[in-house]
Amino acid sequence: MRPVLLGSMSPESLMEELQAAPSRALAARRLSELGMPTRKSEAYRYFEIDPLMDHDWERVEISATSEIEETQRRIVITDGVVTALPADVEVQVGCSDAIDLDGAHFDPLYYLGHLMSREVISLRFRKDARVTIVHRCTQPAKLLAYRTAIYVDANVHVQISERYEGENACGALILSGHDAFVSRDATLTLVKDQTLRIGDYTPIFSHRIKVDSQASCRLHSFDFGAGSGLQLIKAELHEHARIDADHLLYAKDHARRGTVSQIVHIGQSSVSNQRAKNILVEKARGIFDALIKVEHSGKETKAHQNSKAILLNDGAYMASKPQLEIYIDDLEASHGSTTGQLDEAQLFYLRSRGIAKDEARKMLILAFANELIDALEDDALREDLHRSFEEAYWGTTNVTCMETCHGCEDLAAETAAK
Amino acid sequence: MSRVVMDIDNLHARIGGKEILKGLNLQLEEGKVHAIMGPNGAGKSTLSKAITGHYDIEVLDGEIRYKGQNIVDWEPEDRALEGIFLSFQNPVEVPGVNNAYFLRTAVNAKRKHQGLPELNAAEFLREMKKLVQELGMKPEMISRSLNEGFSGGEKKRNEILQMMMLQPDVIILDEIDSGLDIDALRAVSEGINKMKDGKRSFLVITHYSRILDYIEPDYIHVLKDGKIIKTAGPELVAELEEKGYGAIEEA
Ligand SMILES: Nc1ncnc2c1ncn2[C@@H]1O[C@H](COP(=O)(O)OP(=O)(O)OP(=O)(O)O)[C@@H](O)[C@H]1O
Ligand SMILES: [Mg+2]
């Protein structure tokens, strides 16, 4: 299948060509309105999408659900199929072809992903929970499309951490993502470590997050990956809803990775706070193309957005486009973007105390990244990500307690005092 | 005269394309306290930057001989490891770098350079806590980010803390006394006096005589327009206070 050929089809022929479920009629209509992405598409203007759309992909067949393993706190999705479920977490997992699609998503591949997924893996949380989702891909050089829907019921507080493994999936294209529904007064904390631990494929994660009245969503994405990859996020905020989105990117070599997002304030007194930090090495290109839109109805909202990038080599490049689109004047908003090198004065200060240049650079880079890693409330996840970042940056990890944990210092000092 | 530990000879240095040090000569003696006074913009901080290898400085001519070697081409960290320490006029803030972690890294880099075993976290913190208390610093300074959000006085005390932990041989204090309240000035001066051991040398850059009452300099040098134009004993301070720097030039 060459996605580019779908670009000019009518909704009816799209449905037929992709053998889509009847409930996907809206997706077909929207995809045919938006057209397939090209380098001229808004959403993909900094990403090299053409070769992927022009490629003749063999699709991964989604097999019927096989045997499901029991785990502790982990949901494993292998090649688009749930293969393991936690025995100890209350989550209702199912497959369904019914899905309440976002009729105004900006990303054509959100709709293509839905058209290609006959069923959606749905996770419904009726009680507070903490769970890890592991995504595994094992099919090299193929196109895999699958979608997940996350429902967090009213007043429920859920933390999901996600990891990705591409065991043998070199050269694959993955179209996936969540439709997340955070109901009234609920909280969803989504910690995505997009770094691929094994293998190499191109992920395009296209998410839609609906945050209901007085609900809140914390999204922490970490991407220390190689190659190409993009996450596209559309979030809508209702009355008194809140989203805090942090994105930490470390990219090297010829990587082209980043975030394209739209946060839409629909309800009044909603709050959004988006922070991106990007560290780019060698010839890497980082993308932060993010729009915050405040509708007429979004009175008294607060919208803050900031992107910072450090370029460690001349060849590195950051495409940073924070934007605000505002239809009212009764709000508090800010946005900013900085791109630069490591601070020379800081570097000199450390070196003037006898710390070698490489070590001093490393300390400053970690310090830059730490702000977003330290924002994680879960101690174990924070440690994991410190380690993951160190491994990506340094090749090995030598995180010691003192770097990450202030509690230990006091403990050490108390022991010493005795 | 005691042994010379640092000999600055005919130093010409440029900063931002402009020649600021214009043939400066200065000898620091072992175990002595040298004070440098001089008008704003004379080049005092520039001198301290030239000695420590700051990236803004371009040395055009002359030498800085330290322990017998010309160090003008040395990396800043090598100068530090060999015992040169600068307490900055305006210490930078380094958000995200934990103060204790930073200082332990520096102390252990120095110990490694000296062939000593590294200090573990507990040993290090015992020492750091003791000094933090002596300097009248809040204990929370230990775990905060390096200088981030520190008040002017807290930054200066943190510089002195680093000095005391690193035990350098040549100590440059660039306006350590500016912005300090009376108690802080006393605590900082006591810290400095405690470091005097008859071998260490001090270069104290200041505009005020008050700190000199505490730390009793052996020599006063007047730096003006990129040169040392006069060197005398401590009695020069009173004369400067009375007549200003203009009179010195005429002398
Ligand atoms: N980075 C720079 N670029 C250009 N000029 C500089 C730079 N740094 C310092 N200068 C200039 O060099 C001259 C000497 O500055 P320096 O900081 O050494 O003075 P100082 O004697 O320490 O003065 P103060 O008593 O005010 O601290 C000043 O005229 C200053 O403006
Ligand atoms: Mg100065």
Side-chain angles (χ1 to χ4, degrees):
Chain A
M1 183 195 85
R2 290 177 62 197
V4 70
L5 299 179
L6 306 171
S8 52
M9 288 186 185
S10 68
E12 294 73 27
S13 21
L14 270 173
M15 296 285 287
E16 203 181 306
E17 174 70 27
L18 296 168
Q19 296 167 13
S23 56
R24 301 292 186 275
L26 173 63
R29 187 161 54 74
R30 287 287 295 144
L31 181 57
S32 111
E33 275 167 25
L34 291 167
M36 288 303 291
T38 66
R39 88 166 71 82
K40 293 199 185 97
S41 315
E42 272 287 286
Y44 293 89
R45 56 186 165 162
Y46 300 113
F47 187 77
E48 223 171 308
I49 194 74
D50 288 359
L52 295 170
M53 295 298 104
D54 214 15
H55 187 80
D56 195 2
W57 293 103
E58 184 184 337
R59 283 176 61 180
V60 175
E61 289 297 327
I62 303 286
S63 51
T65 306
S66 55
E67 239 167 69
I68 292 183
E69 194 193 328
E70 270 196 4
T71 63
Q72 300 287 309
R73 296 217 165 137
R74 287 196 327 159
I75 297 171
V76 181
I77 302 174
T78 308
D79 297 327
V81 179
V82 176
T83 52
L85 283 176
D88 52 349
V89 179
E90 283 203 49
V91 48
Q92 203 178 318
V93 181
C95 275
S96 153
D97 76 341
I99 176 84
D100 174 18
L101 286 177
D102 181 353
H105 206 295
F106 63 94
D107 177 21
L109 296 186
Y110 167 80
Y111 296 110
L112 181 64
H114 271 293
L115 281 165
M116 291 173 72
S117 316
R118 276 199 77 81
E119 295 195 316
V120 170
I121 299 166
S122 82
L123 313 172
R124 180 176 286 276
F125 295 89
R126 296 184 191 283
K127 288 197 172 148
D128 294 2
R130 249 167 215 233
V131 65
T132 300
I133 304 179
V134 181
H135 298 264
R136 272 193 197 137
C137 302
T138 67
Q139 308 266 328
K142 290 187 185 172
L143 187 162
L144 169 66
Y146 66 99
R147 301 281 320 171
T148 36
I150 296 169
Y151 302 92
V152 182
D153 284 358
N155 286 306
V156 171
H157 309 287
V158 172
Q159 174 185 291
I160 300 176
S161 63
E162 283 189 287
R163 295 198 289 120
Y164 296 83
E165 295 173 358
E167 280 163 32
N168 259 317
C170 283
L173 170 64
I174 316 288
L175 301 181
S176 75
H178 306 302
D179 285 80
F181 302 88
V182 191
S183 309
R184 256 189 104 84
D185 297 303
T187 327
L188 171 62
T189 304
L190 189 58
V191 183
K192 302 180 71 201
D193 181 359
Q194 291 171 186
T195 312
L196 203 52
R197 281 165 212 283
I198 325 161
D200 161 29
Y201 59 70
T202 303
I204 295 185
F205 304 114
S206 197
H207 305 295
R208 172 271 178 108
I209 302 170
K210 184 179 175 199
V211 191
D212 246 319
S213 307
Q214 300 178 62
S216 88
C217 176
R218 280 196 212 109
L219 173 66
H220 305 262
S221 73
F222 298 94
D223 191 337
F224 317 140
S228 296
L230 201 61
Q231 65 169 344
L232 303 102
I233 302 161
K234 156 88 186 291
E236 59 182 81
L237 301 176
H238 294 268
E239 262 182 50
H240 295 278
R242 170 176 189 116
I243 189 164
D244 294 274
D246 284 351
H247 315 288
L248 178 61
L249 173 69
Y250 169 73
K252 57 185 168 187
D253 204 0
H254 283 80
R256 230 167 230 250
R257 300 181 82 88
T259 301
V260 180
S261 68
Q262 269 189 17
I263 294 174
V264 186
H265 289 257
I266 295 171
Q268 67 173 35
S269 303
S270 47
V271 178
S272 67
N273 196 352
Q274 192 176 27
R275 302 184 291 180
K277 286 200 165 191
N278 309 278
I279 301 157
L280 303 168
V281 198
E282 292 152 3
K283 294 210 170 321
R285 167 181 280 215
I287 300 165
F288 180 67
D289 191 358
L291 172 72
I292 293 185
K293 195 168 164 181
V294 182
E295 306 275 19
H296 291 287
S297 49
K299 289 188 194 70
E300 292 169 22
T301 59
K302 289 184 186 167
H304 297 285
Q305 190 183 42
N306 191 282
S307 162
K308 291 185 183 148
I310 291 183
L311 310 181
L312 295 178
N313 296 87
D314 288 345
Y317 177 76
M318 181 70 207
S320 178
K321 289 277 174 304
Q323 299 164 75
L324 281 170
E325 192 180 311
I326 296 170
Y327 294 97
I328 53 164
D329 49 20
D330 178 16
L331 85 172
E332 178 191 309
S334 71
H335 71 151
S337 163
T338 57
T339 298
Q341 275 80 42
L342 284 180
D343 186 299
E344 259 196 308
Q346 293 177 345
L347 200 57
F348 179 72
Y349 189 84
L350 301 182
R351 295 176 72 194
S352 79
R353 298 303 184 235
I355 298 171
K357 190 176 179 183
D358 278 353
E359 181 71 19
R361 281 169 69 90
K362 180 191 153 199
M363 283 171 87
L364 294 180
I365 290 164
L366 285 176
F368 179 78
N370 277 353
E371 188 188 2
L372 297 193
I373 299 176
D374 286 340
L376 292 170
E377 277 169 14
D378 187 304
D379 294 341
L381 279 178
R382 210 167 48 231
E383 283 295 315
D384 270 3
L385 278 147
H386 274 296
R387 200 166 301 121
S388 168
F389 180 75
E390 277 242 338
E391 270 166 21
Y393 176 71
W394 212 236
T396 56
T397 176
N398 56 354
V399 173
T400 61
C401 248
M402 276 188 63
E403 265 169 280
T404 55
C405 163
H406 305 325
C408 294
E409 289 168 26
D410 298 336
L411 204 72
E414 269 165 36
T415 334
K418 274 174 202 158
Chain B
M1 194 171 124
S2 316
R3 205 168 74 91
V4 172
V5 61
M6 183 177 285
D7 184 1
I8 303 174
D9 183 18
N10 186 35
L11 188 67
H12 290 260
R14 197 150 66 178
I15 190 163
K18 197 171 145 215
E19 188 169 340
I20 302 296
L21 301 183
K22 303 166 182 170
L24 183 140
N25 296 300
L26 179 66
Q27 295 189 329
L28 299 186
E29 293 176 23
E30 195 172 79
K32 294 284 158 60
V33 177
H34 297 255
I36 291 198
M37 303 184 83
N40 294 128
K44 302 181 298 297
S45 294
T46 305
L47 173 63
S48 72
K49 286 176 178 172
I51 297 171
T52 50
H54 192 273
Y55 53 90
D56 268 348
I57 304 285
E58 190 191 343
V59 171
L60 302 168
D61 198 9
E63 290 191 353
I64 302 172
R65 279 189 298 275
Y66 173 61
K67 295 182 179 171
Q69 297 189 63
N70 182 10
I71 60 167
V72 294
D73 293 326
W74 285 23
E75 299 293 340
E77 55 267 41
D78 295 331
R79 303 181 197 211
L81 291 172
E82 279 299 326
I84 296 175
F85 179 89
L86 167 63
S87 161
F88 287 81
Q89 184 172 356
N90 301 303
V92 292
E93 303 197 356
V94 192
V97 171
N98 169 278
N99 204 12
Y101 174 63
F102 152 72
L103 193 47
R104 185 161 75 110
T105 307
V107 166
N108 280 337
K110 172 122 190 212
R111 290 181 66 92
K112 201 172 158 196
H113 182 74
Q114 294 171 320
L116 296 171
E118 297 192 353
L119 292 182
N120 67 33
E123 292 167 330
F124 170 82
L125 280 162
R126 193 185 313 143
E127 187 67 15
M128 184 171 177
K129 280 209 157 169
K130 198 181 91 197
L131 292 176
V132 160
Q133 203 168 16
E134 271 182 32
L135 288 167
M137 294 167 74
K138 293 188 205 116
E140 73 197 51
M141 298 290 166
I142 293 174
S143 53
R144 271 171 60 180
S145 281
L146 175 53
N147 293 332
E148 190 188 22
F150 286 25
S151 74
E154 286 168 346
K155 281 181 185 161
K156 294 292 166 85
R157 289 186 212 219
N158 203 37
E159 295 287 288
I160 295 303
L161 171 69
Q162 293 169 33
M163 172 190 82
M164 296 177 86
M165 291 293 297
L166 289 166
Q167 298 279 309
D169 302 325
V170 168
I171 294 164
I172 307 164
L173 302 160
D174 192 353
E175 296 197 21
I176 188 67
D177 50 343
S178 67
L180 290 188
D181 64 36
I182 299 158
D183 292 341
L185 185 65
R186 189 175 304 123
V188 162
S189 304
E190 277 168 11
I192 295 167
N193 283 334
K194 220 176 263 178
M195 297 286 288
K196 289 189 191 165
D197 65 350
K199 289 197 71 85
R200 271 191 192 102
S201 312
F202 295 81
L203 185 61
V204 184
I205 299 171
T206 184
H207 290 294
Y208 308 104
S209 58
R210 218 175 51 210
I211 188 163
L212 300 179
D213 294 340
Y214 283 109
I215 58 179
E216 299 174 357
D218 299 289
Y219 299 102
I220 309 291
H221 309 273
V222 178
L223 198 167
K224 200 174 163 192
D225 197 21
K227 282 186 189 144
I228 301 290
I229 58 162
K230 188 175 175 98
T231 294
E235 69 285 352
L236 183 61
V237 180
E239 191 186 330
L240 287 172
E241 294 233 304
E242 194 185 326
K243 298 185 186 157
Y245 296 113
I248 297 294
E249 198 174 32
E250 290 152 26

